[in-house]
Amino acid sequence: MSGGLLVAGTTSDAGKSVVTAGICRWLVRRGVKVAPFKAQNMSLNSFVTKEGAEIGRAQAMQAQACRVEPTALMNPVLLKPGGERSSQVVLLGKPVGEMSARGYHGGRQQRLLGTVLDCLTELRGTYDAVICEGAGSPAEINLRRTDIVNMGIARNAGLPVLVVGDIDRGGVFASFFGTVALLSPEDQALVAGFLVNKFRGDVSLLEPGLDMLHGLTGRRTYGVLPFRHGLGIDEEDGLRVSLRGTVRESNVAPPVGEDVLRVAVCAVPLMSNFTDVDALAAEPGVVVRFVDRAEELADADLVVVPGTRGTVRALEWLRERGLAEALLRRAAEGRPVLGICGGFQVLGEHIEDDVESRVGHVPALGVLPVRVRFAPEKTLTRPVGQALGERVEGYEIHHGIAEVLGGEPFLDGCRVGQTWGTHWHGSLESDGFRRAFLREVAAASGRRFVPAPGTSFAALREEQLDRLGDLIEEHADTDALWRLIESGAPSGLPFVPPGAPGAPGVPG
């Protein structure tokens, strides 16, 4: 059996995904054959593997950090929220039905433990090390009985646990201590120590607190990672920036030409794969922002209507906020609009949905000559094609089947004037196509914008992954981290009272 580690967090968004990717990149640069793993992921930001399986984009990004192809084994359970209380359950890359949170945690989740452990065992039999990512916090005492992603997987697989805390939020010492103190003795025995994330300032000022934390818990801190802008690639839990801020934490490079291009992304409900616009934000002179008001489209050179897990709900939202009317005006005026997946569907003539919203026939915006019918089976493919004279690669994740009745062909969708629609996610990551598309947008908008000739989105992503690896290599005790991965949690770790509450059915 190979070495392993579970990267847990004091909270959601503590930095588990990027720390896992950083450890993976550090290991692969040492010559270690490594794979990522997340037993259960809740995300609308997903990816399609070469074998046609849907997994979280965070795990696809971590696989890239490992320099291996992503597979369904790396994320056996994916939950895709469809509302406040229900999610689509994707098992081994294929949807198996909708389920309420109560139904899932009430029994279905625990029944998936065997499948999850089988996937992890297969990976550990193939790779030298498997770096696992937890979800939320391991100290969710109300969910511990059915947990298959944090201490449930650590206990069953004998994995040491590293707890990550975001010090930028404040309260990191209380969060570290409380996380350990709410676990049962058996779970605590696997928690080896801590990793501080997003620290700003002089580390020497933090060290007395780390020493006190060691005295209180008997557990060491394996590193203090400094705050770095622009490292939040392929998040899974949702949009982490203000709707009126720029996309992510990207630094906008100066334009090559005389003008910038302004891109407005409609922040529709249940937005999926918002990472589609990352490649635009990476272009020098392109400014991307997420918007939720009609007036914010006025100065945009391009409006993107992105994917969504709730197409009919998104259509209603666009109409309620006046964004639908603004989109119709743009289309009539020949101002660029790009609809991707669900965004493509809302631009069509009508939608027949007896699957997602189950409302039947719904008139859409009528900008594109397209009729959409939702099928029970989900389309999961990795298409390759041509557009604007350039090769394009993408991936499709949708229930809606589009019948294209006119317009110019465009990536299995269509184009009418300056309104474009496609089911293809990821197409803008194809550098030649992205530059050609932006030239079209600039010409239609009357902007003297010139795409940078040498921008490679794949190379930029590799640079980001290397920066994550550098963070681990330069700011973590990598010798101690490797011993943890290779040999497991240190023996004799002390129990920190009070431990898990003694509620019926809860371990401890």
Side-chain angles (χ1 to χ4, degrees), residues 375-503:
E377 301 79 21
K378 183 183 282 190
T379 297
L380 296 167
T381 63
R382 291 268 293 269
V384 177
Q386 293 270 334
L388 300 178
E390 300 286 346
R391 186 176 188 273
V392 188
E393 296 182 24
Y395 58 99
E396 296 186 54
I397 306 170
H398 55 91
H399 284 279
I401 306 299
E403 181 186 5
V404 179
L405 302 173
E408 299 176 43
F410 174 66
L411 300 179
D412 292 344
C414 68
R415 167 191 183 180
V416 173
Q418 289 299 322
T419 302
W420 316 64
T422 177
H423 272 133
W424 292 24
H425 294 289
S427 63
L428 294 166
E429 295 180 19
S430 298
D431 297 326
F433 165 70
R434 181 179 65 254
R435 287 192 279 269
F437 178 68
L438 290 176
R439 283 192 290 269
E440 289 256 355
V441 170
S445 303
R447 298 289 186 189
R448 289 170 295 183
F449 169 84
V450 179
T455 303
S456 166
F457 186 74
L460 290 172
R461 171 155 289 181
E462 278 295 302
E463 288 175 14
Q464 283 189 305
L465 292 171
D466 277 331
R467 289 175 66 198
L468 293 178
D470 292 342
L471 277 181
I472 298 298
E473 194 164 330
E474 295 168 11
H475 300 283
D477 185 340
T478 52
D479 289 339
L481 198 55
W482 175 246
R483 287 194 297 271
L484 192 62
I485 293 168
E486 191 175 39
S487 305
S491 60
L493 292 169
F495 172 71
V496 179

Side-chain angles (χ1 to χ4, degrees), residues 11 16 108 285 313 346 371-372 375 387 399 412:
T11 62
K16 298 182 293 292
R108 176 65 182 269
R313 180 176 168 187
V346 304
R371 297 173 183 171
V372 176
H399 284 279
D412 292 344

Side-chain angles (χ1 to χ4, degrees), residues 239 243 265-269 271 290-292 306 317 323:
L239 194 60
L243 293 179
V265 185
C266 298
V268 296
M271 191 188 323
F290 289 84
V291 304
D292 60 356
W317 181 88
L323 287 159

Side-chain angles (χ1 to χ4, degrees), residues 124-183:
R124 295 184 80 182
T126 305
Y127 292 89
D128 300 328
V130 178
I131 307 303
C132 307
E133 179 189 341
S137 163
E140 305 288 358
I141 54 179
N142 57 315
L143 302 177
R144 176 61 186 92
R145 181 177 59 84
T146 58
D147 171 43
I148 65 170
V149 66
N150 290 306
M151 300 313 300
I153 194 79
R155 178 95 73 87
N156 279 279
L159 294 171
V161 178
L162 182 70
V163 180
V164 177
D166 180 355
I167 197 170
D168 200 46
R169 295 182 173 195
V172 76
F173 293 116
S175 297
F176 281 144
F177 180 85
T179 296
V180 178
L182 281 175
L183 300 179

Side-chain angles (χ1 to χ4, degrees), residues 334-388:
R335 302 178 66 197
V337 176
L338 172 63
I340 302 174
C341 200
F344 166 42
Q345 295 167 7
V346 304
L347 294 172
E349 295 176 355
H350 73 248
I351 298 167
E352 195 72 34
D353 181 11
D354 295 316
V355 176
E356 193 175 77
S357 66
R358 298 184 175 89
V359 298
H361 180 88
V362 178
L365 297 186
V367 179
L368 294 176
V370 175
R371 297 173 183 171
V372 176
R373 176 185 55 83
F374 274 63
E377 301 79 21
K378 183 183 282 190
T379 297
L380 296 167
T381 63
R382 291 268 293 269
V384 177
Q386 293 270 334
L388 300 178

